[in-house]
Amino acid sequence: MAAASLLRSLTRHARGASAYHHHHQTWAPFSTAAAAGARDEARKGFPGLGPTVKGEKARVVVLGTGWAGSRLLKDLDTSGYDVVCVAPRNHMVFTPLLASTCVGTLEFRSVAEPVARIQPAVSKSPGSFFLLARCTGVNPDAHTIDCETVTDGEKDTLGPTKFKVAYDKLVFACGAEALTFGIRGVTEHAIFLREVHHAQEIRRRLLLNLMLSDVPGLSEEEKRRILHCVVVGGGPTGVEFSGELSDFIMRDVKQRYSHVKDYIHVTLIEANEILSSFDVRLRQYATNQLIKSGVRLVQGIVKDVQPNKLILDNGEEVPYGLLVWSTGVGPSPFVKSLPFPKSPCGRIGVDEWLRVPSVRDVYAIGDCSGFLESTGKDVLPALAQVAERQGKYLASLLNRAMKAGGGHANSQAEADPGPPFVYKHLGSMATVGRYKALVDLRQSKVG
Amino acid sequence: MAAASLLRSLTRHARGASAYHHHHQTWAPFSTAAAAGARDEARKGFPGLGPTVKGEKARVVVLGTGWAGSRLLKDLDTSGYDVVCVAPRNHMVFTPLLASTCVGTLEFRSVAEPVARIQPAVSKSPGSFFLLARCTGVNPDAHTIDCETVTDGEKDTLGPTKFKVAYDKLVFACGAEALTFGIRGVTEHAIFLREVHHAQEIRRRLLLNLMLSDVPGLSEEEKRRILHCVVVGGGPTGVEFSGELSDFIMRDVKQRYSHVKDYIHVTLIEANEILSSFDVRLRQYATNQLIKSGVRLVQGIVKDVQPNKLILDNGEEVPYGLLVWSTGVGPSPFVKSLPFPKSPCGRIGVDEWLRVPSVRDVYAIGDCSGFLESTGKDVLPALAQVAERQGKYLASLLNRAMKAGGGHANSQAEADPGPPFVYKHLGSMATVGRYKALVDLRQSKVG
């Protein structure tokens, strides 16, 4: 115990010995003999978390910390389940507010919630964990997954470490990836807007470019270039970010960076129409608001992205200093690699109870999952409200199974799964600059 | 004007044209013909900021945004001076609180103040600037400095750009560098604690290691290693950081990361005695407080730093997961390269008015400067209170010169510089964990 060892040091020193104790007395845990023993022991057993046994809590393994995974984690009944969350990110991102953090309207910490706060068991309960790792494969027959730790390029910590985790129930909630449509240079030069580190990168780049624009001797052309913010994609994220940017320019830049106020501009490029999922009158309102706040709207298709300019399909060159890419999402390579039947659009195929039907005890929720064609239902849109309600639904399904004695793998006692998941669209919302937003309450969407 | 162009787009679109205007009408500023012209024009003249002329404001160029430079910037009279600050960092860091940001006691933004807020003229006055650049050389005869922009590895912004800045008065306030005593591996593997990004790196590493320690299959030895925080250097920074860390462990880790509470430890390594500049009774108090809060004090000399362990001079190996290095500061390579006489310890030598005596209109303040041996005064310690008061003193000296008509370069009208700079030590302070601090009010220190 830390408290005990602390107490030991305290009493040792209180006895009047030298204030410095010599380290060779206290380094025992690091001694190489003891270490080698511990290592061997770890190797001998299951290299990871072994299967649970009857009488122990069953283990739900959740892959992902987005809207779906976080809601599931929050609602799982930890009196009967151990939860193990495996994800490359230790927090949930409140994505609708991410755009606001890029220009300082909100702090980054305001839009990120640590997993350990969403489900405290992962850092307190002896059998529950959050593991900063990527799932690299699944073995549905053995009820195990393969994982590898993620260190985001930090050296000197722990090298990439592989391990296995046995599951009683496995839930894919690993989301989707930004679409680039195979356009060259997007991944290298554009910034997406899906994670907190993306928003931090945008903010850093924006401020850096504002400062660099003061470099003496810079040509007018170059000054305009580095202060040109281009957003590709006119969906809610692209529109909201453009609105935030032009607000920032009109309110903050004019006051605080008055040297550059004539040079900074925002352009929003969209191949079709902005906010195409919204009602036509709302679209028109949004368009007017954006233009009013100084955003240039350009209808065009991006063909190629180069370090300081992008090329449109009509050959036109658009120089930029900051390029944000937001053209929707699609299945990740990991989802594509999974040995399960897929829904239309290539997501993990699920039945109406969100189960992966070909195997036992495997579920998929959120953007990574879609109804199989055989269900006769359309694939739901990649929206927070879909993912969040699937997480809630699945938690109650799993909690019910556990209470009926069907929490463990391959359980015979699996109860009636209850009613299938039904999605009811509650409407869409998008902000367009300061204190202005669109709300579309039509109950369309597939469902 | 942004407002005007915005108004133009508004009226254009209000007239009922398509909501999308085609970009070729608005990209004129980027057209290559206009660009080439602008570039040539920039090249023809002075490649940077040219000399001021009589009648214009004189230009004070300040290199650095630390305690000395920031206080000088704040106090300079911008009714008579244009100020140009050249530094690789656009903010002042309130260094005494930096240690508290590593563990979340304080937010990073609470300890950093943007230069534009310290001296608003740099972003508002037409002739004043903050330039994110490094000074690479000085030509005292021509009254110019050479600069190169700094982009911190951001690609796709502006390549490294060189320019010159002519000065009427030049002030070196460029600080010192962390000392490593030539010990191998320090720069590669240890983190210093002098900048906000250092604190961010420490925080990121600490949280990453806490998460990684839960990886299943990790040996006991490896778990202890990655949770072992080692601080080298027992000066105020090392002691304060150790105190913050053990506070964090005792308060937060036990609650929020209860899986690891028996494995995480802090060790403070110092070759001599901790807080050697403080009174012996205060040192004893600090030692007791640190031990009480769980910090292991080790007296030893680091010989070699390797990726996951350091070697002491007695051959002992100390495995670590986080290594923070804080063993004082010394002159930077830039300061060493300057063609000016040096003080003892290799700082830029100044006379009692903080002037570099061999040349005209050049001054040095803060950690980068020291009294020349010929002044008969000792070099002052590298402390915030020395730097801050030198900045204040020099601002009033320069403001007085300007008012006497001696603001411009090589001015004949240079007034009596007034009384020399005299340093009075007001005492030293160091916190040792929560709500506890040492205050040494003895008026020693050189002065």
Side-chain angles (χ1 to χ4, degrees):
Chain A
M1 307 290 285
S5 82
L6 191 155
L7 214 63
R8 273 202 305 280
S9 352
L10 177 61
T11 46
R12 182 162 56 235
H13 293 289
R15 264 188 273 126
S18 155
Y20 293 95
H21 58 264
H22 281 282
H23 32 86
H24 38 89
Q25 294 161 359
T26 50
W27 292 108
F30 300 125
S31 86
T32 28
R39 213 184 302 130
D40 288 349
E41 209 167 2
R43 294 281 150 79
K44 255 181 264 161
F46 193 89
L49 294 174
T52 59
V53 294
K54 285 264 156 61
E56 281 182 10
K57 286 183 188 178
R59 182 186 300 140
V60 180
V61 175
V62 181
L63 307 181
T65 59
W67 283 93
S70 296
R71 180 57 193 254
L72 172 68
L73 283 169
K74 183 173 153 68
D75 285 5
L76 275 176
D77 182 349
T78 53
S79 71
Y81 278 126
D82 279 334
V83 289
V84 174
C85 178
V86 178
R89 184 181 84 181
N90 73 341
H91 55 272
M92 186 256 186
V93 179
F94 193 84
T95 40
L97 292 177
L98 196 55
S100 300
T101 63
C102 300
V103 296
T105 309
L106 283 176
E107 281 301 304
F108 298 116
R109 61 182 294 169
S110 309
V111 303
E113 186 71 2
V115 172
R117 225 182 286 166
I118 292 169
Q119 179 47 271
V122 299
S123 68
K124 289 186 177 167
S125 175
S128 292
F129 299 96
F130 169 78
L131 302 175
L132 192 75
R134 254 177 243 283
C135 174
T136 56
V138 54
N139 184 341
D141 298 330
H143 272 59
T144 60
I145 57 166
D146 298 310
C147 302
E148 185 170 328
T149 53
V150 173
T151 54
D152 281 332
E154 287 280 338
K155 346 162 268 175
D156 299 355
T157 47
L158 192 66
T161 304
K162 288 173 197 269
F163 58 93
K164 283 178 192 290
V165 177
Y167 60 82
D168 291 300
K169 309 286 178 191
L170 175 63
V171 183
F172 288 93
C174 43
E177 270 198 6
L179 286 175
T180 63
F181 307 105
I183 298 166
R184 205 176 44 179
V186 177
T187 316
E188 293 83 348
H189 306 300
I191 309 175
F192 300 115
L193 188 47
R194 297 177 43 76
E195 303 286 349
V196 170
H197 69 86
H198 293 146
Q200 287 171 328
E201 168 77 9
I202 291 169
R203 186 151 151 181
R204 195 165 49 233
R205 184 78 65 93
L206 197 58
L207 294 176
L208 182 62
N209 287 352
L210 279 167
M211 282 186 285
L212 289 176
S213 69
D214 263 349
V215 166
L218 209 63
S219 71
E220 289 277 303
E221 173 204 20
E222 192 67 352
K223 192 164 175 177
R224 274 183 210 282
R225 200 252 324 148
I226 63 172
L227 292 173
H228 189 212
C229 307
V230 175
V231 181
V232 179
T237 303
V239 166
E240 291 182 342
F241 177 64
S242 304
E244 283 284 350
L245 254 185
S246 61
D247 268 3
F248 169 68
I249 293 167
M250 291 177 79
R251 282 183 295 152
D252 298 329
V253 172
K254 286 198 178 181
Q255 279 177 41
R256 289 164 62 180
Y257 305 89
S258 53
H259 291 154
V260 304
K261 65 178 186 296
D262 306 345
Y263 294 88
I264 186 164
H265 290 290
V266 180
T267 298
L268 175 60
I269 301 178
E270 163 62 46
N272 302 302
E273 280 202 274
I274 65 163
L275 299 172
S276 56
S277 66
F278 282 75
D279 181 85
V280 63
R281 286 160 303 170
L282 292 171
R283 287 208 296 271
Q284 190 56 49
Y285 174 79
T287 303
N288 289 339
Q289 282 300 327
L290 286 175
I291 291 166
K292 206 161 137 183
S293 66
V295 176
R296 296 172 181 178
L297 296 175
V298 170
Q299 203 162 13
I301 294 170
V302 176
K303 208 182 64 184
D304 190 23
V305 177
Q306 295 173 13
N308 293 323
K309 64 184 177 195
L310 55 82
I311 318 289
L312 297 178
D313 63 345
N314 64 1
E316 197 125 15
E317 300 192 349
V318 182
Y320 66 82
L322 172 71
L323 176 60
V324 174
W325 194 270
S326 173
T327 57
V329 297
S332 67
F334 172 66
V335 163
K336 286 181 195 155
S337 78
L338 288 171
F340 303 128
K342 299 285 150 55
S343 75
C345 309
R347 302 186 189 186
I348 302 170
V350 292
D351 67 14
E352 290 166 272
W353 292 268
L354 309 180
R355 301 179 296 200
V356 177
S358 51
V359 288
R360 293 206 65 175
D361 301 316
V362 180
Y363 305 81
I365 53 178
D367 294 359
C368 72
S369 83
F371 287 126
L372 285 160
E373 217 163 359
S374 57
T375 61
K377 293 193 158 193
D378 286 324
V379 171
L380 296 171
L383 291 176
Q385 61 179 316
V386 173
E388 200 261 353
R389 269 178 277 157
Q390 290 186 332
K392 183 181 174 184
Y393 168 86
L394 188 58
S396 70
L397 186 152
L398 292 176
N399 289 341
R400 204 160 46 232
M402 180 264 294
K403 276 170 194 148
H408 283 272
N410 297 310
S411 178
Q412 299 307 313
E414 205 165 326
D416 167 44
F421 176 76
V422 176
Y423 176 66
K424 186 162 173 286
H425 188 65
L426 295 179
S428 304
M429 190 173 137
T431 61
V432 283
R434 217 182 178 191
Y435 305 130
K436 293 200 174 66
L438 316 178
V439 179
D440 189 339
L441 294 175
R442 295 173 304 159
Q443 290 174 8
S444 66
K445 300 284 166 182
V446 284
Chain B
M1 306 291 284
S5 81
L6 191 155
L7 214 61
R8 273 200 305 279
S9 357
L10 178 61
T11 47
R12 181 163 56 234
H13 295 288
R15 264 186 272 127
S18 155
Y20 293 96
H21 57 264
H22 281 281
H23 31 87
H24 38 91
Q25 293 162 359
T26 50
W27 290 111
F30 300 127
S31 87
T32 26
R39 212 181 305 130
D40 288 349
E41 208 167 1
R43 294 281 149 80
K44 254 182 266 160
F46 193 88
L49 294 174
T52 60
V53 294
K54 283 264 156 61
E56 282 181 10
K57 286 183 188 178
R59 181 185 301 140
V60 180
V61 174
V62 180
L63 307 181
T65 60
W67 284 93
S70 296
R71 181 58 195 251
L72 172 69
L73 283 170
K74 184 173 152 68
D75 286 4
L76 275 176
D77 182 348
T78 52
S79 71
Y81 279 125
D82 279 333
V83 289
V84 173
C85 177
V86 177
R89 184 181 84 181
N90 73 341
H91 55 273
M92 187 255 185
V93 179
F94 193 83
T95 41
L97 292 177
L98 196 54
S100 301
T101 64
C102 299
V103 295
T105 311
L106 283 176
E107 280 301 303
F108 298 115
R109 61 183 292 168
S110 309
V111 303
E113 186 72 2
V115 172
R117 224 180 288 165
I118 292 168
Q119 179 48 270
V122 299
S123 67
K124 289 186 177 167
S125 175
S128 291
F129 299 96
F130 170 78
L131 303 174
L132 193 74
R134 254 176 244 285
C135 174
T136 55
V138 54
N139 184 341
D141 297 328
H143 272 59
T144 61
I145 57 167
D146 298 312
C147 302
E148 186 170 326
T149 53
V150 172
T151 55
D152 281 332
E154 288 280 339
K155 347 160 268 177
D156 298 355
T157 47
L158 192 67
T161 305
K162 290 174 196 263
F163 59 92
K164 284 178 193 287
V165 176
Y167 60 83
D168 291 300
K169 309 286 177 190
L170 175 64
V171 182
F172 288 94
C174 44
E177 268 198 6
L179 286 176
T180 63
F181 306 106
I183 299 166
R184 204 175 45 178
V186 177
T187 316
E188 292 85 348
H189 306 298
I191 309 175
F192 300 115
L193 187 47
R194 297 179 41 78
E195 302 286 350
V196 170
H197 69 85
H198 293 145
Q200 287 170 328
E201 168 77 8
I202 290 169
R203 187 152 152 180
R204 195 162 53 233
R205 183 78 65 91
L206 197 56
L207 294 175
L208 182 62
N209 288 352
L210 280 167
M211 283 186 285
L212 289 177
S213 69
D214 263 348
V215 166
L218 210 63
S219 70
E220 289 277 305
E221 173 202 19
E222 193 67 352
K223 193 164 175 177
R224 273 183 211 283
R225 200 255 320 152
I226 64 174
L227 292 173
H228 188 211
C229 307
V230 175
V231 182
V232 179
T237 303
V239 166
E240 290 181 344
F241 176 64
S242 304
E244 283 284 350
L245 255 185
S246 59
D247 269 2
F248 169 68
I249 293 168
M250 292 178 79
R251 283 182 295 152
D252 299 328
V253 172
K254 287 200 177 179
Q255 280 177 37
R256 290 165 62 181
Y257 306 88
S258 54
H259 291 155
V260 304
K261 64 177 187 296
D262 306 343
Y263 295 88
I264 187 164
H265 291 289
V266 181
T267 299
L268 175 59
I269 300 178
E270 163 62 44
N272 301 304
E273 281 200 274
I274 64 163
L275 300 173
S276 56
S277 66
F278 281 76
D279 181 84
V280 62
R281 288 160 303 171
L282 292 172
R283 286 207 298 268
Q284 189 55 47
Y285 174 80
T287 303
N288 290 339
Q289 282 299 326
L290 286 176
I291 292 167
K292 206 159 137 183
S293 67
V295 176
R296 297 175 181 178
L297 297 175
V298 170
Q299 202 163 13
I301 293 170
V302 176
K303 207 180 66 183
D304 190 23
V305 177
Q306 296 172 13
N308 293 324
K309 64 183 178 194
L310 54 82
I311 318 289
L312 297 179
D313 61 347
N314 64 2
E316 196 127 15
E317 299 192 351
V318 182
Y320 66 82
L322 172 71
L323 177 60
V324 175
W325 195 270
S326 172
T327 56
V329 296
S332 67
F334 172 64
V335 162
K336 286 182 194 156
S337 78
L338 289 170
F340 302 129
K342 299 285 150 52
S343 76
C345 308
R347 303 184 188 186
I348 303 169
V350 291
D351 67 14
E352 291 167 271
W353 291 267
L354 308 180
R355 300 178 296 198
V356 177
S358 51
V359 289
R360 292 206 67 173
D361 300 315
V362 180
Y363 305 80
I365 54 180
D367 294 359
C368 72
S369 82
F371 286 125
L372 284 161
E373 218 163 357
S374 57
T375 60
K377 292 192 161 196
D378 286 323
V379 171
L380 295 172
L383 292 175
Q385 60 179 319
V386 174
E388 200 262 353
R389 268 177 278 157
Q390 289 185 334
K392 182 181 174 186
Y393 168 86
L394 187 59
S396 70
L397 185 152
L398 292 175
N399 289 341
R400 205 160 45 232
M402 180 265 294
K403 277 172 192 144
H408 283 272
N410 297 311
S411 178
Q412 298 307 314
E414 206 165 325
D416 167 45
F421 176 76
V422 177
Y423 176 65
K424 186 160 172 287
H425 187 66
L426 295 179
S428 303
M429 191 173 137
T431 62
V432 283
R434 217 182 178 191
Y435 305 131
K436 294 200 172 67
L438 316 178
V439 180
D440 189 338
L441 294 175
R442 293 174 305 158
Q443 289 175 9
S444 65
K445 300 282 167 186
V446 284

